[in-house]
């Protein structure tokens, strides 16, 4: 039964119903991309956490129902949407996509999907953080469903390497894609709740996850004490958390990554080789990241071009 469900999930996620192209809006909305870039840049100037938020938002969008802007829909009536599901702790900056959409609707109404706006914004988020740029294939359609209960399909920070591999392969993504896309953790922040299990009562014999560097673990424990933990307490995923670079991979090799799912990337020879390669060569990381982002962001199965990114037409 579980196998059958997996097969169905895999099949439906792999269906790329809308074929994408680089010049999709060339005639119908030539300024679409510059309008999005402007919105992301303006928001970043006020709040430096915006690029990380946008990149994560796009990842969550793509992993549930494909990149169809399901992550942007608001809860309505009895339906609790993805953004109100449990792994939402740090999803924020939805207003940036709203601002871009508003500006685009006044330039070319009813043409550009919210899913495309989010994919373009994610590219801009990386580039504006000093990372690589790339041409985003466009032509995604927006979906009409968003369910909080489906957010359990996202990989968890406690996942081991086989669970991560499975989660990615269900979406047509390879081991190389897993290691390269995890480099998204070069940007941003995590709440203590996402890594508490590594630093308190880890298992029957260890209080602290033995794969953690001991002095780094003590630092995390002081930020996230077992008792009276502040709701917003946490740490950056990388000390250079507003610069998109390969520091993330160097930290993994030192036992200084935040999540078990990050550290797990050294648990097979193949993934470990990729981590070492990306730690040594930022250029190799950028090349792989771009390739894998285009692959992840091409999963799409939507039906319409929403007028308002928060509600279906
Ligand atoms: C491989 C499986 C992944 C797992 C288990 C995972 C898990 C997480 C968790 C638990 C957080 C912190 C949430 C919080 O406590 O606030 C986080 C943050 C983040 N993730 Fe991932 N993630 C994964 C893959 C990705 C991918 C593929 C990307 C993008 C390419 C990405 C981009 C980000 C970013 C940018 C943040 C910081 C968000 C912010 O500061 O607002 N993650 N991730
Ligand atoms: C996150 O989800 C919880 C329920 O799981 C909800 O109470 C909370 O308002 C949501 N937070 C955000 C920022 O959407
Ligand atoms: C990963 O976790 C799953 C589920 O807990 C378990 O069945 C599997 O044996 C684990 N794999 C590794 C490599 O630790």
């Amino acid at each position: 039964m579980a196998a059958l469900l997996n097969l169905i999930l895999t099949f439906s996620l792999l269906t790329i119903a809308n074929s994408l192209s680089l010049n999709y809006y060339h005639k119908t909305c030539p300024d679409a991309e510059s309008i999005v870039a402007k919105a992301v840049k303006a928001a970043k100037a006020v709040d430096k956490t915006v690029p990380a938020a946008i990149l994560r938002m796009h990842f969550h969008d793509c992993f549930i129902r494909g990149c169809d802007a399901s992550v942007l829909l608001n809860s309505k009536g009895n339906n609790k949407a993805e953004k109100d599901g449990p792994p939402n702790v740090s999803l924020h900056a939805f207003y940036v996509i709203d601002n871009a959409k508003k500006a685009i609707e006044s330039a070319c109404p009813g043409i550009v999907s919210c899913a495309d706006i989010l994919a373009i914004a994610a590219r801009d988020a990386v580039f504006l953080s000093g990372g690589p740029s790339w041409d985003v294939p466009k032509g995604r359609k927006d979906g009409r469903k968003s369910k909080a209960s489906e957010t359990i399909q996202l990989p968890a920070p406690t996942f081991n390497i086989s669970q991560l591999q499975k989660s990615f392969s269900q979406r047509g993504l390879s081991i190389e894609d897993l290691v390269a896309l995890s480099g998204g953790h070069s940007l941003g922040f995590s709440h203590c709740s996402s890594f508490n299990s590594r630093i308190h009562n880890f298992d029957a014999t260890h209080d602290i996850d033995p794969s953690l560097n001991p002095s780094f673990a003590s630092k995390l424990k002081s930020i996230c004490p077992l008792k009276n933990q502040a709701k917003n307490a946490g740490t950056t995923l990388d000390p250079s958390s507003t610069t998109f670079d390969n520091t993330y991979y160097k930290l993994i090799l030192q036992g200084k990554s935040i999540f078990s799912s990050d550290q797990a990337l050294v648990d097979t020879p193949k993934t470990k080789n990729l981590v070492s390669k990306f730690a040594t060569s930022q250029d190799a990381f950028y090349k792989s990241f771009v390739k894998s982002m285009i692959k992840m962001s091409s999963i799409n199965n939507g039906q319409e071009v929403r007028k308002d990114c928060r509600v279906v037409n």
Side-chain angles (χ1 to χ4, degrees):
M1 190 60 198
L4 181 67
L5 272 175
N6 256 331
L7 195 72
I8 293 168
L9 179 70
T10 306
F11 184 75
S12 59
L13 286 164
L14 287 180
T15 309
I16 298 176
N18 305 301
S19 59
L20 308 182
S21 62
L22 295 178
N23 60 358
Y24 193 80
Y25 298 116
H26 184 67
K27 293 211 175 79
T28 52
C29 197
D31 293 333
E33 298 204 31
S34 60
I35 295 173
V36 175
K38 215 170 124 189
V40 178
K41 203 171 168 185
K44 177 180 182 269
V46 179
D47 176 357
K48 62 183 175 19
T49 72
V50 161
I54 301 281
L55 180 58
R56 184 171 189 234
M57 200 186 287
H58 180 53
F59 158 59
H60 281 208
D61 186 29
C62 295
F63 263 54
I64 302 175
R65 297 183 168 271
C67 323
D68 68 344
S70 55
V71 72
L72 303 178
L73 287 171
N74 283 349
S75 296
K76 196 183 168 199
N78 292 332
N79 187 57
K80 218 170 138 193
E82 284 171 35
K83 62 165 69 151
D84 292 320
N88 66 357
V89 268
S90 68
L91 283 180
H92 67 110
F94 290 103
Y95 71 90
V96 180
I97 305 302
D98 292 335
N99 289 349
K101 177 67 170 173
K102 237 174 259 162
I104 284 186
E105 286 302 290
S106 58
C108 16
I111 302 288
V112 184
S113 67
C114 297
D116 277 346
I117 294 174
L118 184 49
I120 295 164
R123 183 270 316 273
D124 295 337
V126 169
F127 179 63
L128 291 169
S129 304
S133 189
W134 62 94
D135 285 333
V136 177
K138 294 160 291 285
R140 294 166 193 76
K141 292 277 165 51
D142 299 324
R144 296 182 48 83
K145 284 199 175 128
S146 178
K147 296 187 176 304
S149 58
E150 291 177 347
T151 54
I152 55 159
Q153 295 167 14
L154 289 165
T158 51
F159 270 16
N160 64 32
I161 191 67
S162 35
Q163 293 170 304
L164 289 168
Q165 235 169 286
K166 187 171 160 206
S167 167
F168 275 63
S169 74
Q170 284 172 337
R171 288 150 177 98
L173 299 171
S174 67
I175 291 176
E176 287 82 355
D177 296 323
L178 165 65
V179 180
L181 290 170
S182 293
H185 291 167
S186 171
L187 296 179
F189 178 86
S190 172
H191 294 80
C192 297
S193 56
S194 302
F195 57 89
N196 268 332
S197 62
R198 299 186 80 194
I199 53 170
H200 304 293
N201 308 312
F202 177 68
D203 65 17
T205 44
H206 304 91
D207 181 42
I208 295 174
D209 179 347
S211 71
L212 271 171
N213 169 294
S215 63
F216 183 66
S218 318
K219 207 183 107 193
L220 292 181
K221 277 184 97 116
S222 68
I223 296 169
C224 306
L226 185 56
K227 288 185 180 143
N228 300 321
Q229 211 169 78
K231 191 165 170 279
N232 290 324
T235 184
T236 55
L237 295 177
D238 167 333
S240 55
S241 70
T242 57
T243 305
F244 191 89
D245 58 18
N246 67 341
T247 307
Y248 166 80
Y249 298 98
K250 296 180 186 169
L251 294 171
I252 293 178
L253 296 174
Q254 298 165 20
K256 294 180 182 171
S257 62
I258 305 296
F259 306 129
S260 297
S261 58
D262 299 320
Q263 202 57 49
L265 299 178
V266 295
D267 288 350
T268 71
K270 185 167 179 186
T271 52
K272 189 176 183 183
N273 281 341
L274 288 164
V275 170
S276 303
K277 179 172 139 189
F278 296 156
T280 312
S281 167
Q282 179 155 280
D283 195 49
F285 164 49
Y286 282 180
K287 281 208 177 78
S288 294
F289 184 80
V290 165
K291 196 170 142 224
S292 298
M293 276 295 279
I294 291 172
K295 203 165 147 191
M296 177 181 81
S297 84
S298 298
I299 311 169
N300 174 254
N301 219 340
Q303 296 89 42
E304 64 183 24
V305 172
R306 245 175 249 158
K307 290 193 188 73
D308 174 340
C309 293
R310 294 174 185 258
V311 290
V312 298
N313 290 347

